[in-house]
């Protein structure tokens, strides 16, 4: 346990009713018990599973609002569980269709592990050893983003062949619906609302993720994933442009902005996508 969780005082939040349903998936019973305890004290109803098949069964039975998912599980790893959770949840009807949020727990801090988790659709990750209090705050942050309401009168956003309805959380490109994760959708809305502005990764992390600190590679990975879904050629992006040394700029109308392959050279040169 000492290698996985840093114990400390709880989040200091009175339950005041159920804040939501969380499924905790970890094969270490000590980690699972401590995480569940902190979440329950924060007001969440918690279900637990110790492996992939049990997690999929529990998700189907309890319909959680969020899953805390360990990457290293016996038999079926967390990446595959995340993929199956995303694929198995049917699209809800009505204007508030949602994707099941996932917070990934990684036993190692290597960038490859974090990126893999984000690329299969995890909305956030926490690296072991971790503070249970920080994990609870991350869970709350993700759920706030999911449950945030959008005024029904807000007009649709449109540019570059994209059409986005923030209230319905629905996005299309040239009439075809886009399968976006929670963060990808929020990131796209933010870019459309700030079209033409240069947004650095710190600003995006603060305004889209709601974090004042964190690993900026999270933003890089999500921009890359979003480009793969909205760009004609993600290797030569025309909508989400990289501004060397500054950040990203959304351009509704594609146009020339430097030599071909500039975005790829930027990614290799300064760590940006």
């Amino acid at each position: 346990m000492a290698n996985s969780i840093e114990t400390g005082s709880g989040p200091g939040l009175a339950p005041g009713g159920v804040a939501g349903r969380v499924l905790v998936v970890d094969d270490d019973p000590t980690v699972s018990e401590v995480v569940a305890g902190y979440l329950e004290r924060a007001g969440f109803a918690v279900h637990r599973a110790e492996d992939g098949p049990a997690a999929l069964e529990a998700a189907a039975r309890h319909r959680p609002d969020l899953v805390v998912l360990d990457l290293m599980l016996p038999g079926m790893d967390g990446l595959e569980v995340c993929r199956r959770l995303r694929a198995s949840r049917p699209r809800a009807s009505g204007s508030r269709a949602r994707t099941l949020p996932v917070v990934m727990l990684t036993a190692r801090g290597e960038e490859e592990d974090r990126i893999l988790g984000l690329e299969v659709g995890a909305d956030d990750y926490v690296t072991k050893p971790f503070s249970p209090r920080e994990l609870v705050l991350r869970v709350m942050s993700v759920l706030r983003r999911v449950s945030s309401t959008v005024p029904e009168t807000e007009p649709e956003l449109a540019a570059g062949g994209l059409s986005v309805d923030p209230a319905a959380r629905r996005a299309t490109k040239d009439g075809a619906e886009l399968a976006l994760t929670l963060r990808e959708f929020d990131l796209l809305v933010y870019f459309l609302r700030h079209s033409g502005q240069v947004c650095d990764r710190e600003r995006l992390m603060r305004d889209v993720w709601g974090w004042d600190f964190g690993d900026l590679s999270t933003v890089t990975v999500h921009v890359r994933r979003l480009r793969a879904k909205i760009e004609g050629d993600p290797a030569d992006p025309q909508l989400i442009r990289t501004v060397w040394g500054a950040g990203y700029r959304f351009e509704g109308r594609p146009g020339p902005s430097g030599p071909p392959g500039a975005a790829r050279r930027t990614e290799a040169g300064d760590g940006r996508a």
Side-chain angles (χ1 to χ4, degrees), residues 10-268:
L13 299 168
V18 177
R21 298 183 302 278
V22 177
L23 173 61
V24 176
V25 186
D26 198 303
D27 63 323
D28 185 329
T30 302
V31 172
S32 180
E33 181 178 354
V34 171
V35 170
Y38 271 75
L39 287 166
E40 287 168 349
R41 285 195 290 276
F44 293 96
V46 180
H47 300 282
R48 294 159 60 183
E50 61 183 16
D51 57 33
L56 297 175
E57 180 182 350
R61 183 170 66 252
H62 300 296
R63 305 290 295 174
D65 299 302
L66 180 143
V67 177
V68 175
L69 178 62
D70 187 25
L71 176 65
M72 303 298 292
L73 294 173
M76 183 190 302
D77 66 19
L79 297 177
E80 181 61 25
V81 174
C82 187
R83 291 189 188 98
R84 296 194 184 191
L85 286 173
R86 294 291 195 188
S88 63
R89 169 157 288 195
R91 183 175 297 277
S93 60
S95 63
R96 296 296 293 174
R98 295 175 181 172
T99 302
L100 177 62
V102 174
V103 175
M104 192 80 77
L105 301 180
T106 65
R108 301 183 300 276
E110 285 85 352
E111 184 178 10
E112 182 179 354
D113 290 333
R114 300 194 302 268
I115 290 176
L116 281 174
L118 294 171
E119 288 189 337
V120 298
D123 298 286
D124 195 3
Y125 64 86
V126 177
T127 303
K128 297 179 180 179
F130 62 87
S131 159
R133 181 177 182 276
E134 179 187 353
L135 176 59
V136 171
L137 294 174
R138 292 290 183 93
V139 167
M140 290 178 170
S141 174
V142 171
L143 287 175
R144 275 198 303 270
R145 186 67 61 172
V146 172
S147 61
S148 62
T149 58
V150 178
E152 293 185 3
T153 57
E154 181 173 357
E156 290 191 12
L157 304 169
L162 294 164
S163 179
V164 178
D165 185 341
R169 297 192 68 84
R170 182 174 183 268
T172 62
K173 173 67 184 296
D174 298 329
E177 187 159 0
L178 297 170
L180 302 178
T181 67
L182 168 72
R183 296 297 190 190
E184 290 166 0
F185 184 89
D186 291 341
L187 187 59
L188 178 58
V189 169
Y190 191 85
F191 276 133
L192 285 166
R193 286 175 176 163
H194 299 84
S195 180
Q197 298 181 20
V198 175
C199 303
D200 62 33
R201 294 187 297 173
E202 291 84 357
R203 172 180 171 181
L204 292 170
M205 177 164 283
R206 182 181 63 252
D207 293 350
V208 178
W209 276 258
W211 305 345
D212 291 322
F213 62 93
D215 188 341
L216 295 178
S217 66
T218 299
V219 179
T220 305
V221 171
H222 279 81
V223 169
R224 184 165 68 240
R225 285 176 52 84
L226 184 57
R227 279 173 169 164
K229 296 179 179 181
I230 70 172
E231 298 279 2
D233 179 7
D236 185 21
Q238 300 295 301
L239 293 174
I240 303 175
R241 299 296 190 102
T242 297
V243 180
W244 287 36
Y248 307 102
R249 182 179 62 242
F250 183 86
E251 296 183 358
R253 294 186 176 182
S257 64
R264 280 169 288 180
R265 290 200 302 274
T266 301
E267 183 176 1

